[in-house]
Amino acid sequence: TEYLNYEDKKFSESRGTGVFGDQARDTGIDADLFRYYLLRNRPEKSDTQFFWNDFMEKANGEIIANFANLVNRVYQFIERFFGGVIPDFDLNSKDSIFSQINIKERTASIIEDFEQVEIKKALLDVLAICSEGNKFFQDTAPWAVIKEDEKRAATILGSLACFTKDISILLYPFIYIISTSYYSNR
């Protein structure tokens, strides 16, 4: 890979330029967020920069607003409308996210990214799938559907629950704690 620089300067322990392991730990920021950002910003084909403002934007926008928000919304609705039990659903229904997103095909592409050591591309591909899940949730509006058709809402939410599990598995190499902590607390 190429070089990772710090705020437009070269990392230098002797000059105190950069963030090093003990300093990262002392910030209190979860190690998985650092791991995520370093992989997201990985200098695979050209030099890249570590910027604190970019770190926060990517952590908040790509992981928290994208993945964590989807997980939170799906499971809150399942808790509210189905007593915390993932409802049975028709995988092949047009109301299933799996009818909109071919997760097996997309996963095969991500595996290919890993095999080609395109780590950043693999991560961005996972985040793109997750964004599609958020769009599906918003477009299908299960909060409105539940009032008219419980079976359809069950398919939307049940398939999204399985989808979030799939995304968690795909994110596992990047952010172990974030992608599993919600499930371990349930």
Side-chain angles (χ1 to χ4, degrees), residues 10 20 24 29 31 40 49 52 54 74 76 81-82 90-91 93 100 110 121 127 132 134 154 161 166 182 184:
K10 291 184 180 183
F20 300 94
I29 298 171
R40 167 66 174 88
Q49 299 287 328
W52 279 107
D54 188 53
V74 167
Q76 277 186 351
F81 297 117
F82 297 98
D90 178 1
L91 181 65
S93 167
Q100 308 293 316
I110 291 166
K121 184 176 182 314
L127 292 173
E132 291 176 46
N134 273 300
D166 290 347
Y182 184 85
S184 65

Side-chain angles (χ1 to χ4, degrees), residues 10 23 33 43-46 54 56 60 69-70 72 77 82 91 94 98 112 120 122 131 139 155 158 174:
K10 291 184 180 183
Q23 295 166 326
L33 288 176
E44 290 179 347
K45 296 179 185 204
S46 63
D54 188 53
M56 295 311 292
N60 288 329
N69 186 49
L70 177 63
N72 186 54
F77 276 87
F82 297 98
L91 181 65
K94 66 177 177 56
F98 297 107
E112 179 66 23
K120 186 190 310 189
S131 291
D139 291 349
T155 295
F174 304 105

Side-chain angles (χ1 to χ4, degrees), residues 98-177:
F98 297 107
S99 69
Q100 308 293 316
I101 298 173
N102 185 335
I103 197 79
K104 286 183 181 182
E105 183 179 298
R106 303 285 287 276
T107 299
S109 175
I110 291 166
I111 291 169
E112 179 66 23
D113 293 342
F114 276 113
E115 289 173 350
Q116 298 299 316
V117 195
E118 298 272 347
I119 307 301
K120 186 190 310 189
K121 184 176 182 314
L123 178 57
L124 294 176
D125 289 348
V126 174
L127 292 173
I129 297 169
C130 192
S131 291
E132 291 176 46
N134 273 300
K135 182 178 181 340
F136 176 82
F137 183 91
Q138 208 56 37
D139 291 349
T140 57
W143 58 90
V145 171
I146 193 75
K147 297 173 187 171
E148 305 293 325
D149 188 344
E150 187 174 313
K151 184 176 179 182
R152 183 172 175 230
T155 295
I156 292 167
L157 292 169
S159 68
L160 277 166
C162 291
F163 176 80
T164 62
K165 181 182 179 206
D166 290 347
I167 296 299
S168 294
I169 292 167
L170 292 170
L171 283 174
Y172 180 85
F174 304 105
I175 50 173
Y176 171 75
I177 292 174

Side-chain angles (χ1 to χ4, degrees), residues 3 5 14 31 34 39 48 55 63 67 83 86 102 131 166 171 175:
Y3 291 97
N5 296 309
S14 64
F34 277 107
L39 289 169
T48 60
F55 171 84
I63 290 298
F67 174 68
I86 296 172
N102 185 335
S131 291
D166 290 347
L171 283 174
I175 50 173

